[in-house]
Amino acid sequence: EKIECLPSEEIVTSLKENGYFVVDNVLSDKAIVEQMSKEAESLYLEGALEVDVENLGSGEYIVAIQGGTQQYPKCPRIVEWVVSTTKHLP
């Protein structure tokens, strides 16, 4: 619901001009944040995350969220959030 209300044109413009867009409180539901955090920690412990080489030394890790039969069982909340977020972008 919150995602559908985001200003898609403003997002696209910002992404083109800056490479990013900032939205405060998109993840305001603590239960969802906790579930996603546990899934991310599990991915880290399994070795599924890679060091973000563009930010070496920052302690940041990355992983492509693709879903499917391999990834969905390990992080269903993250996959669902990515799908629900990106389906509303032009």
Side-chain angles (χ1 to χ4, degrees), residues 29-79:
D29 185 327
K30 281 189 173 189
I32 291 173
V33 172
E34 287 177 15
Q35 289 173 347
M36 291 173 63
S37 179
K38 287 178 183 177
E39 290 175 4
E41 182 178 354
S42 177
L43 291 171
Y44 171 78
L45 293 173
E46 291 176 10
L49 304 181
E50 300 175 18
V51 173
D52 183 357
V53 295
E54 292 187 19
N55 294 300
L56 284 176
S58 68
E60 295 178 32
Y61 292 82
I62 59 173
V63 64
I65 301 299
Q66 300 171 340
T69 58
Q70 296 278 335
Q71 196 177 46
Y72 187 84
K74 296 177 183 179
C75 56
R77 180 61 65 196
I78 293 173
V79 171

Side-chain angles (χ1 to χ4, degrees), residues 3 26-27 32 36 65 75-87:
I3 299 301
V26 171
L27 296 173
I32 291 173
M36 291 173 63
I65 301 299
C75 56
R77 180 61 65 196
I78 293 173
V79 171
E80 290 172 6
W81 188 84
V82 169
V83 169
S84 67
T85 302
T86 57
K87 76 178 181 181

Side-chain angles (χ1 to χ4, degrees), residues 1-11 21-26 84-85 87-90:
E1 184 177 299
K2 279 187 176 185
I3 299 301
E4 293 173 5
C5 297
L6 291 174
S8 60
E9 290 181 27
E10 186 179 333
I11 293 170
F21 181 76
V22 177
V23 179
D24 292 328
N25 297 318
V26 171
S84 67
T85 302
K87 76 178 181 181
H88 295 289
L89 295 176

